[in-house]
Amino acid sequence: MSQKPFHPAIRLSIEAGGIVVHNLSRRCGRCILPETFPSVGLSSEAVCAYCRDGGGGGGAPAEEVMAEVRALLAAADAARGYDCVALYSGGKDSSVALYALTREMGMRVLAFTLDNGFVSETAFRNMKRITDALGVDHVMYRPARRFMTRIYSVSLQEPFDQETTKYSTSGCGSCISVVLAAGARLAAEKNAPLLAGGWTPGQFTNDALLPGEFLESVCVRHFGPLSARSDDLGRELDRYGKRGSPFPSLFNPLYCRGYDEAQIYNVLGGLGWVRPADTDSCSTNCLLNGFLVLDHLLKYGYHPYEYELAHHVRSGFLPREEALARIARINVSPSALEKIAGELGLEVRAEDYGLNCD
Ligand SMILES: [Zn+2]
């Protein structure tokens, strides 16, 4: 990635030891989307196409989704041990999702974590505190490190479609697909009729209940470029992609309870959750995220969380200034960047980014 020219709209600098991103293009004055964002259609009054058509729809109303979830559970095997397998990263959103599923919705939940080899130690401690406080069973699965690092390094070098890059880094997209496929396999093994996950409004999708076929299509879309690049990786991914049973639906409880960050931190603090100090400004569990975010910014000219944060600004969840600060300060130092790149087998020096470390 260091050999490729960077996006012309992006400049980097260092402040207080951390990398700061400057996007030189115009931005929507209502949300935050920059001119570099796909299909942004910024008007002369600086209003983007997403703001003009109401932000892309809010999905089905919460009561409708809850009724659908209840019907799905009622139709499932009565002797099942769990109502759902919850995809659990230890981050703030999936932690509060676990709280909502158990305490607010009364579901029997099996938490499932995929350890990608880059999970913050604080996130592991948070997982223990939250699952203990909520009385939730927890399965941890750690694929071979070689397999996961290969997924990330190939993702960084292969082109991905715009449906992936609009909302996430290619590395996150690939990793999430492995999580979805492994979670679906566990749900089938445990006879759990539903998957659950806690993505924030505007991230990934606006729908609170996603059909299994959709999840399967996401995995196919992400695994395709990885398998095309490497036969070995393709064979390993087949173990996740080729499944005997269909994917269950994926339910997001956060869309059915409103989304208020301050209230979320309050609930989590009460359960012993602590914000990690070693992750970037947009992630509360993964040490790789900052590196992947920076690669994405330099390739495409916008932050992979920009769409999600724009949605939060438009919906009044987050002040515009704070959203802008969050995408500018990615809270990664140049030395952390070099270290992570080295762990992925990539040769990256801070100077390649136009950064002077001293
Ligand atoms: Zn806008």
Side-chain angles (χ1 to χ4, degrees), residues 27-34 40 42 46-52 310 314:
R27 280 185 189 279
C28 173
R30 284 195 202 160
C31 66
I32 55 166
L33 291 179
V40 74
L42 216 53
V47 178
C48 76
Y50 298 88
C51 281
R52 287 199 299 275
R314 227 177 270 128

Side-chain angles (χ1 to χ4, degrees), residues 67-88:
E68 219 176 312
V69 168
R70 277 193 292 271
L72 204 148
L73 293 178
D77 182 357
R80 66 185 180 272
Y82 300 101
D83 296 322
C84 71
V85 166
L87 309 175
Y88 187 43

Side-chain angles (χ1 to χ4, degrees), residues 58-70 208 251 253 255-258:
E63 314 81 67
E64 249 174 59
V65 174
M66 284 312 299
E68 219 176 312
V69 168
R70 277 193 292 271
F251 170 54
Y255 282 13
C256 297
R257 69 187 299 281

Side-chain angles (χ1 to χ4, degrees), residues 17-28:
I19 297 172
V20 180
V21 180
H22 311 269
N23 189 332
L24 306 181
S25 64
R26 283 197 311 148
R27 280 185 189 279
C28 173

